[in-house]
Amino acid sequence: MSTIRIVQGTGEAPTAMASYDAALAAAGVENYNLVSVSSVIPADVPVEDVGTAPELGPAGERLTVVEACATTAGPGQVSAALAWSSADDSGPGLFYEVAGETDPEDVENRVLKGLAAGQDLREWSFGEPRVAIEHSQSESGVYTTSLVLAVYGESEPIC
């Protein structure tokens, strides 16, 4: 059985892409090619909030993720939130993500509303929601990225 790990990070740099790369490094996934998927958690797969990813395989391989990510050119602030809940009976679950140039309370409120709306579309019974939030203030002249990722399993060869 594989594990989904929740990781998060913030990065600052002179360009938007470099700040994104720095945020990936803070989360421990800078050496992988990320493939985004929609937000369904497979049945019987545990979700662990680990903060920083462990070694997940060789550099350059593919990682499947659900991503909440925001970047700003300072001054300003960025917040990213990922909420999740699995079915009570070890069935499937959902992730929802929200990110923007806003405060952590705003993204938390919006991500929980989104998760509740997604739950209403399904006939599953869900456990209590969990939320991971990454927030940062950005100084003038600096790009800042905050992100939260749900990383599915370990890396896989890309070719």
Side-chain angles (χ1 to χ4, degrees):
M1 176 177 6
S2 193
T3 299
I4 298 173
R5 294 171 183 88
I6 308 302
V7 300
Q8 56 198 74
T10 292
E12 295 180 343
T15 68
M17 184 56 73
S19 74
Y20 176 69
D21 197 26
L24 292 174
V29 294
E30 72 278 17
N31 292 325
Y32 302 102
N33 290 295
L34 306 183
V35 177
S36 293
V37 295
S38 62
S39 305
V40 176
I41 301 169
D44 295 319
V45 175
V47 178
E48 296 179 2
D49 191 349
V50 298
T52 303
E55 175 64 38
L56 297 172
E61 290 195 337
R62 172 180 46 235
L63 275 181
T64 301
V65 302
V66 173
E67 179 179 49
C69 177
T71 300
T72 190
Q77 63 180 334
V78 286
S79 296
L82 188 68
W84 68 97
S85 180
S86 293
D88 288 332
D89 60 358
S90 298
L94 290 176
F95 286 113
Y96 261 68
E97 61 274 12
V98 170
E101 295 182 46
T102 186
D103 60 68
E105 294 80 18
D106 180 52
V107 292
E108 181 175 23
N109 183 46
R110 290 190 293 142
V111 78
L112 288 171
K113 284 181 180 178
L115 181 63
Q119 289 172 331
D120 288 345
L121 295 173
R122 291 159 176 87
E123 296 179 7
W124 307 334
S125 60
F126 289 92
E128 287 297 313
R130 296 188 56 198
V131 179
I133 299 171
E134 185 74 12
H135 171 78
S136 185
Q137 294 291 132
S138 182
E139 296 181 20
S140 182
V142 176
Y143 286 89
T144 302
T145 299
S146 288
L147 56 78
V148 183
L149 303 170
V151 179
Y152 286 61
E154 296 194 1
S155 68
E156 300 173 343
I158 205 163
C159 45

